[in-house]
Amino acid sequence: MPKFAANLSMMFNELPFLERFEAAAGAGFKAVEFLFPYEYPAELLAERLRRNDLQQVLFNAPPGNVEAGEWGLAAVPGREQDARADIERALVYAITLNCPCVHVMAGLVPPGAQWQRYRETFIGNIRYAADTFARHGIKVLIEALSPQVKPRYLFSSQHQAAQLVEAIDRPNVFIQFDFFHAQLVDGNIGGLITSLAGRYAHIQIASVPDRHEPDDGELNYPWLFAQLDNIGYQGWIGCEYKPRGETGAGLGWIKPYL
């Protein structure tokens, strides 16, 4: 039976962020994820988790200067010191929130830049993150982002992500397998579930192409959930979608699984 985590950055947006923990628990969720925790003290977020009997299962390392167009620094040559400071900052939150997985974002490759140099920088920084997090039993995740959502991101395909995991060569580095991005780039999600089994530690879902509740669009999610059961997937599935309306009104799809 799949285990679902509410993405509090995208769901329950009709409420202030700190009130979304209670809303998620009230809707039947046992776990949450979100993009970034850094606007709030880690101890405050940990208290919200405890109060609502929720588990934090994922968040992202800092993204850099988003207003300046950054979306992660781990692949950016010359920014290694900043990237590693962000990794250390994420670790403090992960320990306080008892979070088993942290996604470290690569960043964007500017036009005319040497892609291979960015790739090598990314591998070095993810090895640093993996070695740093391993001492605390925490997994490092990397995620392929589709060009439709994040143009010029370092990698967009699940196959590229798998090649990077192999090159990084650390036992606690895994793919963050987002079905929405994967369908836009690779397709054949059922095949990827099988061929990449063991190399992804977290899954995210949304309808394709609209990124709403997973009860519409191109993907047959009940069938995909059954495939995950068939291969024995034990990780969480993050609901990283934009509700069509009020979040609770769109949760009919999840009731059989809670």
Side-chain angles (χ1 to χ4, degrees), residues 39-53:
E39 184 179 348
Y40 303 94
E43 294 77 9
L44 174 60
L45 298 177
E47 188 275 332
R48 294 290 167 138
L49 293 167
R50 288 191 298 270
R51 181 193 303 180
N52 294 289
D53 196 22

Side-chain angles (χ1 to χ4, degrees), residues 71-126:
W71 196 246
L73 300 176
V76 182
R79 299 291 299 278
E80 289 86 352
Q81 184 174 351
D82 293 334
R84 296 184 182 197
D86 285 344
I87 287 165
E88 298 282 357
R89 187 181 183 197
L91 176 61
V92 172
Y93 273 81
I95 292 170
T96 303
L97 301 180
N98 194 28
C99 184
C101 297
V102 174
H103 170 216
V104 179
M105 296 183 296
L108 311 182
V109 181
Q114 294 181 345
W115 179 83
Q116 184 63 28
R117 187 177 174 214
Y118 277 71
R119 183 180 188 272
E120 291 170 357
T121 301
F122 184 62
I123 290 171
N125 281 327
I126 297 300

Side-chain angles (χ1 to χ4, degrees), residues 2-187:
K3 303 184 300 183
F4 295 96
N7 187 299
L8 299 187
S9 296
M10 300 182 75
M11 300 174 71
F12 303 103
N13 271 324
E14 55 272 11
L15 298 171
F17 180 76
L18 291 176
E19 295 179 19
R20 297 175 197 173
F21 293 85
E22 182 177 1
F29 288 97
K30 303 299 182 185
V32 297
E33 63 177 34
F34 41 65
L35 292 180
F36 308 110
Y38 310 104
E39 184 179 348
Y40 303 94
E43 294 77 9
L44 174 60
L45 298 177
E47 188 275 332
R48 294 290 167 138
L49 293 167
R50 288 191 298 270
R51 181 193 303 180
N52 294 289
D53 196 22
L54 290 168
Q55 181 180 351
Q56 184 76 40
V57 296
L58 177 74
F59 64 87
N60 297 337
N65 187 343
V66 175
E67 293 182 359
E70 294 176 344
W71 196 246
L73 300 176
V76 182
R79 299 291 299 278
E80 289 86 352
Q81 184 174 351
D82 293 334
R84 296 184 182 197
D86 285 344
I87 287 165
E88 298 282 357
R89 187 181 183 197
L91 176 61
V92 172
Y93 273 81
I95 292 170
T96 303
L97 301 180
N98 194 28
C99 184
C101 297
V102 174
H103 170 216
V104 179
M105 296 183 296
L108 311 182
V109 181
Q114 294 181 345
W115 179 83
Q116 184 63 28
R117 187 177 174 214
Y118 277 71
R119 183 180 188 272
E120 291 170 357
T121 301
F122 184 62
I123 290 171
N125 281 327
I126 297 300
R127 285 175 176 166
Y128 174 84
D131 294 343
T132 301
F133 285 20
R135 294 191 288 270
H136 304 275
I138 298 171
K139 298 180 180 70
V140 176
L141 305 188
I142 65 171
E143 180 186 18
L145 301 183
S146 58
Q148 295 93 324
V149 175
K150 194 58 65 174
R152 307 202 65 83
Y153 195 74
L154 179 70
F155 57 106
S156 60
S157 166
Q158 303 306 311
H159 302 291
Q160 290 175 304
Q163 291 165 359
L164 281 164
V165 167
E166 183 176 355
I168 292 162
D169 191 26
R170 293 294 188 272
N172 63 326
V173 174
F174 293 87
I175 295 169
Q176 181 172 314
F177 187 3
D178 188 309
F179 287 6
F180 171 79
H181 290 294
Q183 177 67 4
L184 291 177
V185 176
D186 301 294

Side-chain angles (χ1 to χ4, degrees), residues 2-13 24 29-35 57-58 176-178 180 202-207 211-214 221 225 236-243 247 250-251 253-255 257-258:
K3 303 184 300 183
F4 295 96
N7 187 299
L8 299 187
S9 296
M10 300 182 75
M11 300 174 71
F12 303 103
N13 271 324
F29 288 97
K30 303 299 182 185
V32 297
E33 63 177 34
F34 41 65
L35 292 180
V57 296
L58 177 74
Q176 181 172 314
F177 187 3
D178 188 309
F180 171 79
H202 189 82
I203 289 170
Q204 292 176 320
I205 60 171
S207 70
R211 210 173 191 179
H212 295 319
E213 287 88 345
Y221 271 107
F225 297 153
W236 290 91
I237 299 176
C239 302
E240 193 185 43
Y241 64 77
K242 298 175 288 186
T247 301
L251 286 175
W253 70 269
I254 203 173
K255 293 189 185 301
Y257 303 104
L258 292 179

